[in-house]
Amino acid sequence: MMILYCVDFWLECPQWARISFVRVKYLFLTWLTVLVGSWVLYVQYSAYTELCRGHECKNAICDKYRRGIIDGSACSGLCDKQTLYMGRCLSTLPNNQVYTGSWGDHDGIIRCKLGEVMHYELGEEPEPRREAPVFDKPTRGTSVEKFREMVFNHLKSKLGEQANLASLVNQILSVADGNKDGRVSLPEARSMWALLQMDEVLLGLLLQDRGHTPRLLGYCGDLYMTERVPYGPLYGLSLPWPLVSWVPNGVQRTMDQWFTPSWPRKAKISMGLLELVEDIFHGTYGSFLICDVAAAHFGYTDRYELRLTNTRAVVPEEEFRRSMRALKCETDADCVYGVDCQTSCDVSGRRCREEPLQPNLAKACSTLKDYLLRGAPSALREELERQLYACMALKGNAGQMNMEHSLILNNLKALLWKQISHTKDS
């Protein structure tokens, strides 16, 4: 009764009771802190072990390499010489492993596919991992000419009829010759075939010659390493998840523009994005659509040259049209591919039309508007804003679109180049 009385009437408690109560209170808070901290650590560790399984990836790849199933330019460094190291885990999906990597003098990003992760309850035996049947093509006895034909037909299915497919096949076979002995072995062919099934690798090979994507440094099976892009995203600040829901979108957009280079350097980076749009609009291997122009998919080098860091955001126009033809719809909202690619709905036939509503250039200008206008020279700002809004108004199905597209693109590039051509950043 004395303890209850003291708790209820603090001022009337004797000194020893007050000290005891303070001790109990601090002991309880300490216990609660340890409990919550332990729970957070457990959750973080569980998430890490689920997402970061690079050792499994390496073991699976090296096992197949040692059995003679696969081979590639990075196999020896990864499995024999131990000169290719996996560093920090960047994975966001359990079956798509992403790590920073080091290979001799090269720093890069290592990516590797793993089979589907099977979930199980505590105390149960985990089910065997489901692995996709990769590395089964080409089969034993396949000639180099037959493999060449396989690659050609695969590219044709992805890109459509293109005049330069034969030269692209030669380029891919050159990359497939990992040990540079002048011929493609069966294990090397299996590795390259597995890589070509991943659209991001194929598109990376298509665009790396123009300097738009990180260069492929090496591969072993479907594990591959590309050069690291030191700065990314293009702009923006990644807030901790508890703060994301509390920060209004308008404030977030303003904060995104605080962490950017000086304006001449931003102009050079923007020129890189405009050149990417130009090169994939009726390019060497057909046309491509950028279906997610988020700043997170772009980065830049120490020389302020733009790099597309997520080639999954790009899709061949042939594949896009094929996908749209297969979509049923009630409204235009049903005819969406990715994030930024949309067509209209033919209500009478209840099918999506093939023609994209907005070209790449309009979407790129929307991404660059705030980026370029913030800090722009006062003498340039009005004309730059006018051209950016004209660019954003472009429509995919407008008459004379090709001519209008080229005119706006060239005018915008000329305006930016005039401002930075005399600076050291050019």
Side-chain angles (χ1 to χ4, degrees), residues 138-139 141-154 169 173 189 193:
T139 56
T142 302
S143 66
V144 174
E145 286 307 313
K146 179 62 178 176
F147 181 59
R148 181 188 295 273
E149 183 182 340
M150 287 172 60
V151 173
F152 183 89
N153 290 333
H154 178 70
V169 171
L173 291 183
W193 184 252

Side-chain angles (χ1 to χ4, degrees), residues 51-54 88-94 96-99 110:
L51 286 175
C52 301
R53 299 179 293 130
R88 185 163 54 95
C89 175
L90 305 174
S91 306
T92 57
L93 293 171
N96 186 26
Q97 296 294 292
V98 184
Y99 280 77
I110 298 171

Side-chain angles (χ1 to χ4, degrees), residues 131-426:
E131 291 196 25
V134 294
F135 313 130
D136 57 348
K137 292 181 181 178
T139 56
R140 190 172 297 279
T142 302
S143 66
V144 174
E145 286 307 313
K146 179 62 178 176
F147 181 59
R148 181 188 295 273
E149 183 182 340
M150 287 172 60
V151 173
F152 183 89
N153 290 333
H154 178 70
L155 296 177
K156 184 177 176 182
S157 71
K158 290 290 185 181
L159 307 176
E161 290 279 2
Q162 303 295 334
N164 296 304
L165 282 187
S167 65
L168 179 58
V169 171
N170 290 335
Q171 177 189 334
I172 288 172
L173 291 183
S174 175
V175 175
D177 180 14
N179 57 8
K180 302 304 176 189
D181 64 352
R183 64 185 186 89
V184 179
S185 65
L186 180 61
E188 287 173 336
R190 284 174 176 156
S191 290
M192 181 51 64
W193 184 252
L195 289 175
L196 291 177
Q197 307 314 301
M198 296 184 280
D199 289 346
E200 63 268 26
V201 177
L202 174 57
L203 289 166
L205 289 171
L206 290 176
L207 298 172
Q208 73 175 11
D209 285 348
R210 298 287 294 173
H212 297 308
T213 56
R215 190 164 48 90
L216 179 68
L217 298 176
Y219 66 92
C220 183
D222 58 358
L223 177 148
Y224 65 97
M225 180 175 176
T226 56
E227 65 182 351
R228 189 176 69 89
V229 178
Y231 301 103
L234 182 62
Y235 58 79
L237 178 66
S238 297
L239 293 173
W241 65 266
L243 298 179
V244 172
S245 57
W246 293 91
V247 179
N249 289 336
V251 175
Q252 176 73 55
R253 284 195 299 271
T254 302
M255 291 171 61
D256 283 347
Q257 301 303 327
W258 292 348
F259 300 91
T260 56
S262 63
W263 192 87
R265 290 170 174 171
K266 289 195 293 185
K268 182 177 181 181
I269 295 167
S270 301
M271 286 276 289
L273 180 54
L274 295 176
E275 287 169 357
L276 168 63
V277 168
E278 185 175 29
D279 285 342
I280 65 176
F281 180 67
H282 299 319
T284 308
Y285 304 113
S287 294
F288 297 83
L289 297 174
I290 306 177
C291 289
D292 191 351
V293 201
H297 301 323
F298 300 91
Y300 55 93
T301 68
D302 293 322
R303 299 178 62 186
Y304 303 97
E305 296 167 338
L306 182 107
R307 293 289 186 271
L308 174 65
T309 54
N310 182 10
T311 50
R312 293 186 187 92
V314 179
V315 59
E317 188 172 350
E318 179 76 15
E319 183 178 326
F320 171 79
R321 290 178 180 273
R322 188 165 57 243
S323 299
M324 289 297 104
R325 283 197 299 268
L327 274 184
K328 296 180 179 179
C329 63
E330 298 288 340
T331 66
D332 289 353
D334 298 323
C335 301
V336 178
Y337 188 104
V339 176
D340 295 321
C341 290
Q342 185 174 8
T343 67
S344 58
C345 178
D346 179 3
V347 180
S348 59
R350 294 193 173 184
R351 289 281 180 180
C352 293
R353 296 186 174 92
E354 298 179 20
E355 195 68 35
L357 294 179
Q358 196 178 33
N360 292 326
L361 183 58
K363 292 178 282 191
C365 287
S366 296
T367 298
L368 292 177
K369 179 175 72 70
D370 292 338
Y371 185 67
L372 275 176
L373 290 179
R374 180 179 175 83
S378 54
L380 171 75
R381 184 181 175 86
E382 185 177 343
E383 177 61 17
L384 178 60
E385 188 171 15
R386 186 188 68 78
Q387 290 199 25
L388 285 170
Y389 276 103
C391 172
M392 291 161 58
L394 279 171
K395 298 296 181 185
N397 56 359
Q400 302 290 320
M401 201 277 284
N402 286 3
M403 186 178 298
E404 189 179 5
H405 181 285
S406 298
L407 182 64
I408 289 176
L409 178 61
N410 290 335
N411 286 344
L412 197 50
K413 285 174 61 180
L415 183 66
L416 294 176
W417 180 248
K418 183 179 178 181
Q419 293 295 315
I420 64 171
S421 58
H422 61 281
T423 66
K424 65 178 182 180
D425 298 310
S426 62

Side-chain angles (χ1 to χ4, degrees), residues 2-14:
M2 177 62 70
I3 294 174
L4 291 175
Y5 180 83
C6 288
V7 169
D8 290 337
F9 302 94
W10 177 257
L11 294 176
E12 298 180 19
C13 287

